[in-house]
Amino acid sequence: MLDPRLFRTELALVTEQLQRRHFAFDASAYEALESRRKAIQVKTQELQNERNSRSKAIGQAKAKGESVEALMAHVQQLGDDLKAAEVALADVQAAMTALMEGIPNILDEAVPDGKDESANVEISRWGELPSFNFTPKDHVDLGVSKGMEFELGVKIAGSRFVVLNGALARLQRAIIQLMLDTHSGEHGYSETYVPFLVNADSLYGTGQLPKFAADLFKASDDPALYLIPTAEVPVTNIVRDTIVEAKELPLKFVCHSPCFRSEAGAYGRDVRGMIRQHQFEKVEIVQIVKPEDSAQAHEELTRHAESILQKLKLPYRRMLLCAGDTGFSSSKTYDLEVWLPGQGAYREISSCSNFKDFQARRLQARWRNPETGKPELVHTLNGSGLAAGRTLIAIMENYQDADGRIHIPEALLPYMGGVTVIG
């Protein structure tokens, strides 16, 4: 959530910045609510002052032996008026909160203008695209004889589910293990295990609720619990309603989890194969840092995700997302896109985002500034390090041979129990 003071002091600037996102912010509606809030607040204060004054007058009149019936009736009426004003003030404040909850983060100044992904900016590329003396297959055609069963996924659960068997299941497990070992052993992240069901407060804190409820799978109503769309939610909520001492920062977490997404807005997109599933595996890396360190931490976290692709020798590019393609809570996002020969295209395999204090304000996640002794909001960052299913796809397509076999990347051999080729 944005700082409410920005709206009161720099409304024109906020409106201008939100226009970069092509977000329709109704400034006049906000101004009307703010004007009403101020008027009710002034009236409430006046009623409180008058009631206090009249109550004091009652005591003075009683001391003089004077009649106080009229004064008491007036105080009673003031009390009723005050209660009505407090209810009206609460209603206006609730309306303002609801309005604020639907407003996205202010973009970092480095984010380029643009309406959609076509305006994203390529920052760098790594690796040589593989050259084949045959027409490369996509992961669906490669996997059909190797234990990748989409029809069985449909039978068991429905569309956008898959069953992996045998060596492919082991390959995905090996990918996850490599990621966890690298981030915890080389990059300084602390491995954590978290619930895969979370409450509404947790999803509110990271920005999924209330705006993106349709993208979630709700598991129960009493209490309300949701399947996690990403480990970002439970891991970032570790610092909800806490004050972290400066010496403890940065906090760096790595977490493997399944992820569950309804893909409410994605029907008709990526219907073939494993690109867009309701259930998938991911290794998430999360950092909680001081505000002055978040820009540097964003670059570091992105390099950590890139290192997995480099270990696997998978060609990829880093993209800086434009204003219209940057996520609701993010201030700045890099997408890592891996090359898929079967599609002849780069596809997203990781999003690395700096949320600055947007999530922290909703979470009330703070650190104690030793210079002032006062708590201040932290900055939060996260990224996929990486999406395991898409990494599996990328290995299948980049390491295929003319006979449809899949060769295991060298970095994964220690995890494969002697298996060097699948198929």
Side-chain angles (χ1 to χ4, degrees):
M1 185 180 294
L2 295 176
D3 188 343
R5 290 174 297 183
L6 278 176
F7 291 84
R8 291 196 288 267
T9 61
E10 300 183 61
L11 184 60
L13 175 63
V14 171
T15 303
E16 178 185 337
Q17 288 297 314
L18 292 175
Q19 285 175 347
R20 290 188 65 204
R21 284 182 172 271
H22 303 274
F23 179 82
F25 173 60
D26 190 344
S28 60
Y30 171 82
E31 287 179 311
L33 282 171
E34 176 63 8
S35 177
R36 178 161 169 74
R37 183 195 67 80
K38 285 181 178 178
I40 296 174
Q41 201 160 33
V42 168
K43 180 181 178 181
T44 301
Q45 187 63 51
E46 290 175 346
L47 288 169
Q48 287 173 335
N49 291 339
E50 187 175 358
R51 187 178 66 169
N52 291 340
S53 176
R54 294 293 181 179
S55 296
K56 185 177 180 181
I58 290 173
Q60 293 172 342
K62 283 183 176 180
K64 296 177 182 179
E66 298 174 352
S67 174
V68 295
E69 289 183 7
L71 286 171
M72 290 181 69
H74 192 188
V75 168
Q76 178 64 45
Q77 183 60 51
L78 287 171
D80 293 343
D81 292 346
L82 180 59
K83 287 179 182 178
E86 289 171 343
V87 169
L89 181 60
D91 289 344
V92 172
Q93 289 174 330
M96 294 187 75
T97 298
L99 177 65
M100 300 281 286
E101 287 172 345
I103 296 173
N105 201 357
I106 297 295
L107 296 167
D108 188 273
E109 60 183 13
V111 174
D113 290 331
K115 189 173 183 179
D116 54 37
E117 62 184 19
S118 64
N120 294 343
V121 176
E122 183 176 313
I123 302 299
S124 60
R125 292 193 182 198
W126 186 93
E128 296 292 328
L129 301 188
S131 177
F132 300 100
N133 57 8
F134 59 92
T135 301
K137 298 178 181 178
D138 73 2
H139 68 281
V140 178
D141 291 334
L142 287 166
V144 69
S145 62
K146 300 177 181 65
M148 182 178 286
E149 299 189 64
F150 293 99
E151 290 185 4
L152 188 54
V154 171
K155 173 185 173 181
I156 294 171
S159 62
R160 295 189 188 270
F161 289 92
V162 67
V163 173
L164 297 178
N165 295 302
L168 286 183
R170 179 160 193 165
L171 178 56
Q172 178 167 269
R173 174 160 56 92
I175 290 166
I176 292 166
Q177 192 64 57
L178 172 68
M179 294 175 187
L180 290 172
D181 287 351
T182 300
H183 294 313
S184 61
E186 298 176 20
H187 300 152
Y189 291 84
S190 175
E191 186 173 351
T192 186
Y193 174 85
V194 294
F196 303 152
L197 286 166
V198 293
N199 55 34
D201 287 343
S202 295
L203 288 158
Y204 175 83
T206 45
Q208 281 79 16
L209 286 180
K211 188 173 179 63
F212 301 104
D215 294 327
L216 302 169
F217 283 115
K218 192 173 186 181
S220 68
D221 288 312
D222 188 18
L225 291 173
Y226 300 79
L227 293 168
I228 61 170
T230 163
E232 165 200 343
V233 178
V235 174
T236 309
N237 270 272
I238 288 173
V239 294
R240 171 158 54 98
D241 295 326
T242 63
I243 300 175
V244 183
E245 296 301 324
K247 64 183 180 181
E248 298 177 27
L249 295 175
L251 295 174
K252 298 167 68 174
F253 301 103
V254 60
C255 181
H256 160 243
S257 78
C259 306
F260 305 90
R261 300 183 185 178
S262 73
E263 300 293 353
Y267 290 106
R269 294 177 57 198
D270 300 320
V271 293
R272 179 174 167 83
M274 283 180 63
I275 291 292
R276 197 174 297 276
Q277 296 276 284
H278 288 313
Q279 173 186 314
F280 58 96
E281 304 286 306
K282 188 152 64 81
V283 171
E284 191 78 2
I285 47 180
V286 173
Q287 293 200 27
I288 312 296
V289 304
K290 300 174 186 176
E292 62 265 29
D293 296 333
S294 69
Q296 179 180 342
H298 189 206
E299 299 297 323
E300 176 191 70
L301 181 143
T302 305
R303 289 194 300 270
H304 291 161
E306 287 179 316
S307 74
I308 303 298
L309 291 165
Q310 293 174 12
K311 283 192 173 193
L312 296 172
K313 296 182 171 59
L314 292 172
Y316 70 91
R317 64 183 184 179
R318 182 198 288 205
M319 305 293 290
L320 174 59
L321 300 195
C322 73
D325 201 31
T326 300
F328 174 82
S329 299
S330 177
S331 175
K332 180 182 179 183
T333 296
Y334 291 120
D335 268 8
L336 303 182
E337 298 180 346
V338 69
W339 176 252
L340 297 183
Q343 296 190 18
Y346 286 99
R347 297 301 300 266
E348 177 201 334
I349 197 168
S350 173
S351 282
C352 300
S353 298
N354 185 355
F355 303 97
K356 297 189 176 177
D357 64 6
F358 188 85
Q359 289 182 329
R361 183 168 286 104
R362 299 168 77 112
L363 293 161
Q364 280 302 290
R366 295 164 291 170
W367 69 292
R368 193 177 305 282
N369 189 329
E371 295 182 3
T372 64
K374 296 180 179 179
E376 300 176 10
L377 295 172
V378 297
H379 280 195
T380 62
L381 307 94
N382 68 56
S384 305
L386 306 160
R390 293 193 179 190
T391 306
L392 173 68
I393 291 169
I395 290 171
M396 291 175 68
E397 295 192 12
N398 280 276
Y399 281 83
Q400 63 180 294
D401 64 21
D403 296 321
R405 298 177 300 177
I406 301 161
H407 296 261
I408 305 301
E410 183 179 354
L412 292 175
L413 291 176
Y415 304 98
M416 288 298 293
V419 176
T420 60
V421 179
I422 298 176

